[in-house]
């Protein structure tokens, strides 16, 4: 059947493989016959290996597991390799008259007393025929002679054994079944295992090929390949009889598993050229494919019916349970250690306790110990105890701490019937850590069964997310919750010892004694029915006496189990060290299988990123020319196909045994080496620099798919004169196997191998600069996985473009993490393009190509989409690194403990979070306060903290465990201002001051030391503590200075500070180095006070808002208004350090000064951070925009700056050491939301921040101010008439200033009303012929006339007073002088100026914020502060569509515009999105999150331009298909809901069947849900 095998390989397997890939399966064919010239193996193991392979595939395969091809030959009938002693003696006795047969058996079958029971073993062929395998030309004659000799010996052995068996059966000494095994062919053995003796036969198919008429041609040369023949060429009747019996058995009992093909005999059959034979082969391939597909689909249907979406978790748990069971089998000794651990856990079960740390060098048996603990703990804690085990590093989900915690939390939640974490929690590592810690507390509070978590080999965790810093590990376990951790005695252990100081928490695993080792060897041998001779046993014990490592013992056992009792002493050797033993193992494999195959196989496994599946490894070896050249030194199986024969791999895998372990990677089972020492020896022996590069090169070729899909890779074989171009038949490697199945293995492995093979150009082209790759991996693996790829590559190659792409992904990560479920590819392409377009001109090759890919993809998107035309999201490469969330309300306090890399942050909701600054990694969430946190202090070398809050509590925290140590209630009623928290570790005291009230507590117990009430509670007071002088200083309103003893609270003195009068202290700080207290007052006075009352004063222009001191206390600063002034601390007078003040556009909220870096950093209400040089006399070094809210808190650690705000629930992390060459044009700094646009968005107009009497003209292309327009009063609103080239500015004085856009000629002025009320809003009609100016209670309409050289404003031509007490909030004017105006209470009206008719329109429920008319003035859109917006028919004066859109964070519309053809309306909203709506249907077409509120939006030919509160100008095209798919969901990546009501006239509604048509009082809610595929198995294997 060789022809059939080749045809299936060439034609059927590729199609079956493609089908499997589309269903996320790996297709693997194990054909033990293909590619080997002789089925006979030297060690006679082939049949056993094949049967084991069948059993394995039946366990793991999805659908088809066994396919047999049976023709007219019974096939090769092997001699049994092992015959039990009793049976052998019976057979031997039957040959007593045949001395030659007895001698032959004695020569080839040797008794092995080490087998239990003893057995006779057929010796390897080379035992007596040394040249049997030697195919070198020099030994050709000896080799051929040995081959011929063995054939004769084999026939003779078979003959005597068969005759003896028949005699023994006749005498009743052995059964018929035992007799038959001496006659049975390999084919029948396989059929028995694959069909006859298996319970589940659903994956089995047998193909019969019947050659019709061949019996008439028996004895002819052409027919011999199709029949069993004897040596003389005659028909082997015995074999044919056995074949007929086998076929009859299959046909009678298993007919539904049979596919019969009949071929007419002809001479062409031999050459395989006949039409009938060709037709048969076509039918065979078609039927083979049909059978495969049917069985797979049937099996998948059964799996999906039982799937609950947690198959990934079941697979992960099963993986660790399986490894645990294997480890427990080899556990021996250490009973005292096992008992100690179990008792320790039992005794701590009812109380809080530290985790248990198991430590010891590599190979000491820590894994076996903790696995045994997991097996025996239920006997100690109770049968209901929940045990969660993770053998870290053995699967992809146990390699990184983020995925480890996710799987552990899901398992615990299922076990305790608790709600699992949402996708928003699992997406963000810090949130995952917080959930993990809180989950343990919830489990403890249930007070039911105990929970034990075991994390083995934490040193095997990848170092990402700060895993090795161990912040994720609770340092204190609540009652009934236990954590066991094992690790090497290295860096991680040292980290743990700093946090967990109790010696009782550590268990050391020491080497085994010789006695324990001997017991373990005996137990292991017994488990495999083996024993040793006394001499062999002594050799083992001598080895163990020098090294008691269990790993060495396991290696010694694997070596010893191969020893027979007749093994010569010279071959009975055991290594003395583990590394030596691994060397011996590899050397033995080289002798058996050749050095090339062994070294390359192991090299590929070690060089892979996460292991290789068997199918992948066989394919990779098939691409390795050196391996194939070694295998096919003297022959080749085919000129069309060349690859690794399955038999060779199966033999090698069998000999590797348990040292080749299975793991899970990307949903597939992959192979890896058993222990890290195995990897180290491979690297040492087989992976030199050049070897390693070559391994990565071939692996890159494989995962790239370079030689798949029929591509022929040339190979030079030793016996061929020219290169052979043959198909390697390796798996294809597309990015997507189907629309929803990604090639996860390629996504994981290819970047790693391209990088390490040095193929940087391909890496950039196919991975780093390939948007198809990036989007595919983000969608299927998560954005974190892509960022890791880029980080890995950027660490090894110098590529600014790759670094920018990495930074884009870092900026995108918070958004991707926030989404529930997988992000749509459109989000990825839009985000990447809107950030990278800034750099397209500078980096045309990589980034330019990525941008073009994004544009092409977006242009081809089949659904409505916004397409960026310029950069308008936060660009990469700048100072901003990332955004960190975790709070529900704004940030109130931050403190950095630079020495210990700690950042502690408190918020308005009472939450305190402790971070590691270096990795922005959450260490603990400190929960306890119920109101705004006002002060935090870290002390005790970073192990403790104190906090105070508006809930009037003072709390002490253990920062190691994250637990509250003490808390005390403080009565601060009436004293809620000027909080002070001061820790005096020397005197073990903590000072808590609020207003004039001071409490002093013992730092360890929070026992009260003293209390002082000071002055009246409502008297504003600032306090400072100066321990060196044992004094507490307070300064209260009017300049009263009180001095108290800091130990007793006794009033020691009172002074009146001069000049201050009624000024109230607003802020203060203590300069301990010089014994000074700096106080800022409400009227602008800054004073420096000493203990004796001496004072230095300086008057500021306005209230001093804050004061701060540098880390070395050499400088201090004061913030007042828009300025910060820096002073020298040493001087007795207030001596300025800089001649100039540091200035912002708006009020400065916070600042810090760092003398070591010679910089000052300021944050302001203008939402910017500015960095100033102290060395260069206050030079502005940089201005950082992107906070999006006023900056009220700053903290600096090294080059990392953290900014926060009371108005935001997030932190921004900035790198001050970023590369300035990537700095892009600065965004404009409008903080009012009052903007206007002209020149297609190239020019932006807005009131100057901090001085609203000026209008900034901003060039958005250059990123700078090109002009300043002066206004006589504060600017309230702006409007541009682009065609008329006019800018209208409405002022608080009631005046309208009209600026020509193209010249600086005289400004026109529309005078105010007599009352000089502020202008509320301005509107210009679509054709710019009318201007409406709205005050709170009157609207004026003007004509805009075009003159010869300039335009003029005439009027007012109409004046309208709506009456009432409610103010106008929004207005629109039409060309026919109709007005649409909205009120602050939500009322909406249409006023016809010509007839003075007022038409009430249906009111909104809140203030009308936006009114926009269509270009043809047939429709209008009205929006308000809530979720409702309406599209109006202006002819009928009624709404046609009412759209209700409720966003996750904010709601309410700010601005809108109609597309130039009036088909769509674009809206900008408070929820920081831009939306596109269908005007005719009212349906929502698209939503885009733009990170900031949109302040102005104008239509363009392709789409629109808009401005945001972050200062970016958005230019986008909007594209939508003519027919929108019913499956399209515009909210697929937005957490929001919307509903739509539509009507044709006042009392009738029209509904339609499709969701994009009108709705009749129908509420439609669309919410994004995670689309998680599930899969219970991941491989399709066929033998």
């Amino acid at each position: 059947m060789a022809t059939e095998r080749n045809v299936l390989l060439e034609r059927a397997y590729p199609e079956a493989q493609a089908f499997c890939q589309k269903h996320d399966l790996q297709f693997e064919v194990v054909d033990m016959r293909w590619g080997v010239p002789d089925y006979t193996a030297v060690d006679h193991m082939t049949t056993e290996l094949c049967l084991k392979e069948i059993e394995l595939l039946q366990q793991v395969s999805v659908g088809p597991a066994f396919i047999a091809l049976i023709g007219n030959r019974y096939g090769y009938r092997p001699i049994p390799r092992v015959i039990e002693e009793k049976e052998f003696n019976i057979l031997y006795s039957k040959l007593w008259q045949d001395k030659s047969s007895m001698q032959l058996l004695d020569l080839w079958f040797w008794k092995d007393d080490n087998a239990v029971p003893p057995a006779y073993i057929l010796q390897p062929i080379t035992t007596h025929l040394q040249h049997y395998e030697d195919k070198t030309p020099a030994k050709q004659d000896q080799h051929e002679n040995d081959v011929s000799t063995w054939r004769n010996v084999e026939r003779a052995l078979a003959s005597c054994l068969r005759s003896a068996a028949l005699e023994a059966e006749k005498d009743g000494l052995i059964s018929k079944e035992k007799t038959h095994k001496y006659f049975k062919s390999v084919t029948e053995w396989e059929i028995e295992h694959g069909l006859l003796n298996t319970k589940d036969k659903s994956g089995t198919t047998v193909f019969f090929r019947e050659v019709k008429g061949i019996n008439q041609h028996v004895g002819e040369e052409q027919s011999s390949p199709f029949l069993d023949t004897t040596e003389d060429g005659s028909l082997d009747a015995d074999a044919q009889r056995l074949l007929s019996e086998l076929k009859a058995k299959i046909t009678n009992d298993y007919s539904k598993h049979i596919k019969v093909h009949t071929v007419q005999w002809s001479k062409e059959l031999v050459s395989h050229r006949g039409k009938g034979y060709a037709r048969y082969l076509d039918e065979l391939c078609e039927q083979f494919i049909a059978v495969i597909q049917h069985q797979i689909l049937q099996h998948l249907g059964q799996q999906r019916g039982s799937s609950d979406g947690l198959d990934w978790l079941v697979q992960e748990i099963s993986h660790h349970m399986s490894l645990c069971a294997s480890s427990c089998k080899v556990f021996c000794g250490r009973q005292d250690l096992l008992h100690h651990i179990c008792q320790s856990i039992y005794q701590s079960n009812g109380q809080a306790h530290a985790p248990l740390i198991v430590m010891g060098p590599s190979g000491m048996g820590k894994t076996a110990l903790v696995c045994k603990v997991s097996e025996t703990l239920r006997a100690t804690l109770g049968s209901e105890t929940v045990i969660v085990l993770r053998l870290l590093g053995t699967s992809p989900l146990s390699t990184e701490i983020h995925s480890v915690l996710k799987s552990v939390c899901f398992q615990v939640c299922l076990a305790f019937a608790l709600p699992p974490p949402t996708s928003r929690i699992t997406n963000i590592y810090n949130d995952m850590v917080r959930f993990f810690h809180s989950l343990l507390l919830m489990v403890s509070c249930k007070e039911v069964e105990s929970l034990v978590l075991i994390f083995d080999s934490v040193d095997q965790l990848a170092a990402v997310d700060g895993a090795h810093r161990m912040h994720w590990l609770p340092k204190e376990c609540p009652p009934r919750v236990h954590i066991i951790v094992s690790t090497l005695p290295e860096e991680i252990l040292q980290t743990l010892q700093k946090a967990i100081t109790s010696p009782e928490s550590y268990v050391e695993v020491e080497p085994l004694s010789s006695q324990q080792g001997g017991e373990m060897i005996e137990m292991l041998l017994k488990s495999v029915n083996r024993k040793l001779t006394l001499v062999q046993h002594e050799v083992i014990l001598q080895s163990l006496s020098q090294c008691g490592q269990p790993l060495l013992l396991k290696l010694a056992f694997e070596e010893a189990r191969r020893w027979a009792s007749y093994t010569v002493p010279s071959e009975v050797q055991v290594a003395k060290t583990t590394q030596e033993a691994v060397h011996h193992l590899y050397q033995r494999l080289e002798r058996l299988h050749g050095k090339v195959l062994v070294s390359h196989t192991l090299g590929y496994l070690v060089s892979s990123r996460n292991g290789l599946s068997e199918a992948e490894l066989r394919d990779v070896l098939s691409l390795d020319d050196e391996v194939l050249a070694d295998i096919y030194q003297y022959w080749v199986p085919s000129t069309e196909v060349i690859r690794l024969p399955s038999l060779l791999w199966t033999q090698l895998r069998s000999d590797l045994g348990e040292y080749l372990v299975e793991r899970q990677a990307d949903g597939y089972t992959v192979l890896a080496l058993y222990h890290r020492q195995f990897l180290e020896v491979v690297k040492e022996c087989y992976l030199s620099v050049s070897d390693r590069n070559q391994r990565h090169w071939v692996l890159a070729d494989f995962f790239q798919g370079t030689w798949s899909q029929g591509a022929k890779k040339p190979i030079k074989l030793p016996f061929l004169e020219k290169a052979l171009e043959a198909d390697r038949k390796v798996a294809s490697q597309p990015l997507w196997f189907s629309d929803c199945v990604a090639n996860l293995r390629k996504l994981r492995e290819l970047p790693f191998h391209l990088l390490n093979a040095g193929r940087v150009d391909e890496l950039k082209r196919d991975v780093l600069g390939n948007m198809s790759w990036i989007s595919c991996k983000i969608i299927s693996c998560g954005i974190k996985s892509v960022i890791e790829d880029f980080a890995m590559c950027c660490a090894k190659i110098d590529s600014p473009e790759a670094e920018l792409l990495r930074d884009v992904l870092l900026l995108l990560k918070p958004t991707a993490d926030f989404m529930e479920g997988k992000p749509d590819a459109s989000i990825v392409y839009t985000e990447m393009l809107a950030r990278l377009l800034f750099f397209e001109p500078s980096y045309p090759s990589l980034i330019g190509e990525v941008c073009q890919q994004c544009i092409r993809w977006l242009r081809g998107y089949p659904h409505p989409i916004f397409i960026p035309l310029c950069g308008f999201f936060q660009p990469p490469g700048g100072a901003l690194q990332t955004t960190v969330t975790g709070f529900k309300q704004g940030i109130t306090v931050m403190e950095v403990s630079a020495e210990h890399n700690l950042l502690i942050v408190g918020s308005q909701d009472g939450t305190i979070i402790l971070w590691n600054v270096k990795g922005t990694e959450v260490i603990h969430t400190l929960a306890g306060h119920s109101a705004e946190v006002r002060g935090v202090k870290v002390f005790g070398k970073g192990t403790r903290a104190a906090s105070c809050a508006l809930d009037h509590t003072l709390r002490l925290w253990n920062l190691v465990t994250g637990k509250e140590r003490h808390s005390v209630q403080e009565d601060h009623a009436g004293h809620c201002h000027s909080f002070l928290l001061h820790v005096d570790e020397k005197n073990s005291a903590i000072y808590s001051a609020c207003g004039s009230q001071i409490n002093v507590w013992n730092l360890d117990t929070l026992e009260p030391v003293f209390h002082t009430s000071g002055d009246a509670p409502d008297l504003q007071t600032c306090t400072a503590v100066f321990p060196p002088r044992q004094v507490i200083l307070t300064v209260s309103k009017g300049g009263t200075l009180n001095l108290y003893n800091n130990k007793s609270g006794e009033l020691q003195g009172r002074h009146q500070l001069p000049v201050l009068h009624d000024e109230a202290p607003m802020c203060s700080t203590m300069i301990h180095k010089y014994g000074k207290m700096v106080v800022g007052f409400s009227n602008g006075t800054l004073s420096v006070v000493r203990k004796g009352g001496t004072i230095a004063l300086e008057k500021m222009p306005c209230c001093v808002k804050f004061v701060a001191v540098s880390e070395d206390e050499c400088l201090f600063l004061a913030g007042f208004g828009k300025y910060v002034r820096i002073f020298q601390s040493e001087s007795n007078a207030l001596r300025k350090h800089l001649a100039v003040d540091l200035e912002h556009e708006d009020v400065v909220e916070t600042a810090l000064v760092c003398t070591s870096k010679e910089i000052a950093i300021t944050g302001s209400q203008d939402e910017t951070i500015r960095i100033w040089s102290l060395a260069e006399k206050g030079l502005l070094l940089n201005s950082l925009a992107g906070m999006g809210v006023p900056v009220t808190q700053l903290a600096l650690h090294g080059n990392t700056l953290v900014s926060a705000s009371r108005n935001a629930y997030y932190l921004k992390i900035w790198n001050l050491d970023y590369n300035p060459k990537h700095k892009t044009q600065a965004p404009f700094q409008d903080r009012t939301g009052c903007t206007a646009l002209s020149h297609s968005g190239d020019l932006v107009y807005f009131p100057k921040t901090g001085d609203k009497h000026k209008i900034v003209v901003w060039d958005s292309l250059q990123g700078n101010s090109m002009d300043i327009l002066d206004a006589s009063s504060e600017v309230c609103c702006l409007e541009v008439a682009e065609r008329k080239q006019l800018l209208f500015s409405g002022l608080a004085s009631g005046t309208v200033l009209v600026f020509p856009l193209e010249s600086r000629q005289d400004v026109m002025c529309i005078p105010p009303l007599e009352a000089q009320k502020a202008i509320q809003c301005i509107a210009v009609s679509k054709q710019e012929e009318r201007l409406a100016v709205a005050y709170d209670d009157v609207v004026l309409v003007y004509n805009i006339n075009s003159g010869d050289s300039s335009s003029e404003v005439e009027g007012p031509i109409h004046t309208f007073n709506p009456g009432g007490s409610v103010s106008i909030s929004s207005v629109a004017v039409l060309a026919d002088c109709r007005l649409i105006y909205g009120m602050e209470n939500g009322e909406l009206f249409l006023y016809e100026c010509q007839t003075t008719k007022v038409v009430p329109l249906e009111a909104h429920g809140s203030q009308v914020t936006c009114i926009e008319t269509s270009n043809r003035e047939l429709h209008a859109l009205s929006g308000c502060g809530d979720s409702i917006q309406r599209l109006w028919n202006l002819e009928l004066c009624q709404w046609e569509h009412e759209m209700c859109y409720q966003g996750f964070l904010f709601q309410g519309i700010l601005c809108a515009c109609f597309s130039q053809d009036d088909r769509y309306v674009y809206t900008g909203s408070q929820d920081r999105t831009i939306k596109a709506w269908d005007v005719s249907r009212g349906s929502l077409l698209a939503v885009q999150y733009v990170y900031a509120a949109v302040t102005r939006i104008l239509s363009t030919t392709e789409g629109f331009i808009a401005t945001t509160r972050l200062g970016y100008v958005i230019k986008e095209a909007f594209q939508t298909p003519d027919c929108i798919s019913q499956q399209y969901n515009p909210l697929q990546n937005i957490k929001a809901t919307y509903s739509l009501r539509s009507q044709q006239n006042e009392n009738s509604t029209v509904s339609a069947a499709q969701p994009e048509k009108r709705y009749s009082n129908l509420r439609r809610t669309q919410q994004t849900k995670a689309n998680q595929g599930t899969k219970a198995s991941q491989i399709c294997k066929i033998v």
Side-chain angles (χ1 to χ4, degrees), residues 854-1097:
C854 290
I855 292 170
R856 288 194 294 270
W857 190 91
L858 291 169
R859 290 292 183 188
Y861 189 64
H863 306 299
I865 190 75
F866 297 112
I867 303 175
L869 303 177
C870 69
F872 54 80
F873 286 162
Q874 181 75 41
L880 181 61
Q881 298 300 289
T882 190
T883 301
V884 179
T885 59
F887 298 98
K888 296 179 181 177
Q889 295 182 26
I891 312 300
T892 53
V893 290
M894 289 199 303
E895 175 161 314
V896 167
S897 175
E899 231 178 292
H900 306 98
N901 300 319
L902 298 179
L903 171 69
I904 190 164
V905 184
S907 74
Q908 291 171 332
D909 63 6
T911 303
I912 301 173
I913 298 181
L914 182 69
W915 309 75
N916 179 289
V917 189
K918 285 188 174 179
T920 57
E921 161 197 4
V922 169
I923 300 174
H924 296 298
T925 298
L926 311 179
H929 287 297
S930 59
E932 179 179 313
V933 181
R934 296 303 302 270
V936 289
K937 289 291 177 184
V938 177
F939 59 96
K941 297 182 179 179
T943 62
R944 300 171 66 190
S947 64
C948 61
L950 289 181
D951 60 4
H952 307 306
T953 61
L954 175 68
R955 300 176 187 267
L956 291 182
W957 306 89
N958 183 330
L959 297 186
V960 175
T961 64
K963 307 296 182 185
E964 181 184 296
R965 292 187 58 186
H966 302 286
S967 67
V968 66
Q969 192 73 30
E970 296 186 301
D971 183 12
H972 286 318
H975 294 270
C976 295
H977 52 265
S978 297
F979 276 78
L980 169 77
L981 198 59
H982 178 83
V983 173
D984 181 1
E985 290 190 75
K986 184 177 180 181
N987 296 306
S988 193
I990 181 168
Y991 301 81
S992 171
C994 182
S996 59
Q997 185 187 74
I998 304 170
N999 294 324
V1000 184
W1001 311 88
N1002 181 280
L1003 189 56
D1004 298 316
T1005 64
L1006 278 192
E1007 294 292 324
V1009 178
F1010 68 82
H1011 165 81
T1012 168
S1013 296
D1015 299 312
D1018 60 348
L1019 195 64
Q1020 194 151 335
T1021 305
C1022 288
T1023 305
V1025 181
F1026 188 40
R1029 299 288 181 87
Q1030 299 184 358
V1031 67
I1032 302 172
L1033 299 88
T1034 68
V1035 177
S1036 56
K1037 186 176 181 181
T1040 302
L1041 171 65
N1042 291 330
L1043 293 92
Y1044 299 90
N1045 182 283
N1046 74 330
K1047 293 186 176 179
S1048 65
E1050 180 184 352
L1051 181 64
Q1052 294 182 334
R1054 175 172 291 182
H1055 304 276
Q1056 182 63 44
L1057 304 179
V1059 187
L1060 295 174
H1061 305 299
D1062 291 332
E1063 288 194 52
M1066 303 300 295
C1067 52
S1068 67
T1069 189
M1070 190 73 200
I1071 306 176
H1072 295 88
K1073 186 175 182 179
Y1074 298 105
K1076 300 176 180 179
M1077 178 184 183
V1078 181
V1079 187
F1081 288 86
S1082 56
N1083 289 349
T1085 300
L1086 181 69
S1087 67
V1088 178
V1089 183
R1090 290 181 177 274
K1091 177 182 176 182
T1094 55
I1095 184 172
L1097 299 174

Side-chain angles (χ1 to χ4, degrees), residues 304-323:
R304 291 191 184 107
S306 60
S307 174
D308 58 0
L310 291 175
D311 294 357
W312 64 272
L313 180 61
V314 173
Q315 193 176 60
E316 180 71 0
I317 295 170
S318 301
H319 165 78
H320 294 285
M321 289 176 64
S322 174
L323 292 183

Side-chain angles (χ1 to χ4, degrees), residues 8-159:
L8 289 174
L9 174 66
E10 293 175 18
R11 290 156 51 181
Y13 294 171
E15 187 170 340
Q17 185 175 69
F19 178 81
C20 287
Q21 288 176 332
K22 288 179 180 178
H23 291 83
D24 208 4
L25 302 170
Q26 278 192 340
F27 179 74
E28 185 175 350
V29 177
V30 181
D31 187 344
M32 304 288 274
R33 310 281 204 283
W34 189 91
V36 289
D38 188 354
Y39 190 76
T40 305
V42 171
D43 58 1
H44 318 289
M45 287 288 294
T46 303
T47 302
E48 292 178 40
L49 292 176
C50 189
L51 301 183
K52 287 180 181 178
E53 198 73 15
I54 293 172
E55 293 174 4
L56 173 66
L57 301 185
Q58 287 171 334
Q59 295 171 15
V60 302
S61 184
V62 175
F66 178 77
I67 290 179
L69 303 175
I70 300 180
N72 295 80
R73 294 184 63 189
Y74 185 55
Y76 172 66
R77 293 186 282 167
I79 303 168
R81 188 182 69 87
V82 179
I83 306 175
E84 287 190 7
E85 180 186 28
K86 182 179 177 181
E87 184 176 329
F88 185 87
N89 290 337
I90 292 172
L91 300 178
Y92 196 81
S93 67
K94 296 299 177 183
L95 299 171
W96 65 275
Q97 293 181 331
D98 187 351
K99 300 301 181 184
S100 62
S101 294
M102 295 175 68
Q103 291 174 357
L104 192 63
L105 289 178
D106 289 337
L107 180 66
W108 286 97
F109 278 92
W110 294 1
K111 182 180 178 182
D112 180 13
D113 286 314
N114 282 2
V116 180
Y120 282 83
I121 311 298
L122 178 61
Q123 295 304 294
I125 299 172
T126 51
T127 304
H128 303 301
L129 303 171
Q130 297 178 2
H131 300 291
Y132 181 84
E133 275 198 311
D134 191 349
K135 299 177 183 178
T136 59
K139 303 290 184 179
Q140 183 175 354
D141 292 340
Q142 293 97 318
H143 166 71
E144 292 176 354
N145 181 64
D146 282 359
V147 169
S148 176
T149 301
W150 169 248
R151 286 176 181 165
N152 294 328
V153 168
E154 188 178 28
R155 277 195 298 272
L157 285 170
S159 176

Side-chain angles (χ1 to χ4, degrees), residues 717-781:
L717 296 178
F719 69 96
L720 295 179
E721 294 182 0
K722 62 179 182 178
L724 172 68
E725 293 196 1
D727 193 346
R728 307 296 175 94
K729 289 297 177 185
V730 298
S732 62
Q733 298 291 341
L735 269 180
W736 291 95
F737 292 132
S738 68
D739 290 343
C740 58
V741 178
N743 187 346
L744 300 182
R745 296 293 295 141
K746 175 173 184 168
L747 292 170
R748 179 78 64 178
E749 294 282 342
L750 183 58
F752 181 73
H753 299 302
L754 287 175
L755 177 66
N756 288 288
R759 294 160 67 167
V760 176
D761 290 340
E762 289 177 72
L763 178 69
K764 290 181 177 180
R765 182 193 68 209
D766 298 332
V767 177
L768 304 181
N770 185 343
M771 275 305 302
S772 296
W773 174 284
I774 292 170
S775 64
C776 175
K777 190 157 189 180
I778 288 175
I779 293 167
S780 55
C781 304

Side-chain angles (χ1 to χ4, degrees), residues 1245-1247 1253-1257 1267-1269 1275 1278 1287 1289 1299:
Y1245 308 88
F1246 56 90
H1253 291 70
K1254 300 182 185 303
I1255 302 170
V1256 177
V1257 183
D1267 202 356
I1268 300 289
L1269 307 178
V1275 176
L1278 294 166
L1287 169 67
S1289 173
F1299 298 90

Side-chain angles (χ1 to χ4, degrees), residues 1516-1579:
E1516 289 195 290
F1518 177 65
Q1519 173 182 293
T1520 186
D1522 294 333
C1523 182
I1524 298 174
S1525 168
Q1526 293 188 33
Q1527 284 71 45
Y1528 170 65
N1529 176 10
L1531 298 180
Q1532 57 192 333
N1533 289 123
I1534 299 290
K1535 190 165 185 178
T1537 62
Y1538 94 91
S1539 61
L1540 172 66
R1541 290 198 310 153
S1542 300
Q1543 61 184 12
Q1544 280 189 325
N1545 49 55
E1546 186 173 354
N1547 295 313
S1548 65
T1549 60
V1550 175
S1551 64
Q1554 295 183 354
E1556 54 279 345
K1557 300 195 184 252
R1558 293 181 180 142
Y1559 295 84
S1560 172
N1561 297 319
L1562 173 66
R1563 179 172 182 82
R1564 182 175 69 167
T1565 301
Q1566 296 180 324
Q1567 291 179 304
T1568 303
K1569 294 183 179 179
N1571 179 19
Q1572 297 177 344
T1574 61
K1575 169 165 60 78
S1577 186
Q1578 71 296 329
I1579 191 164

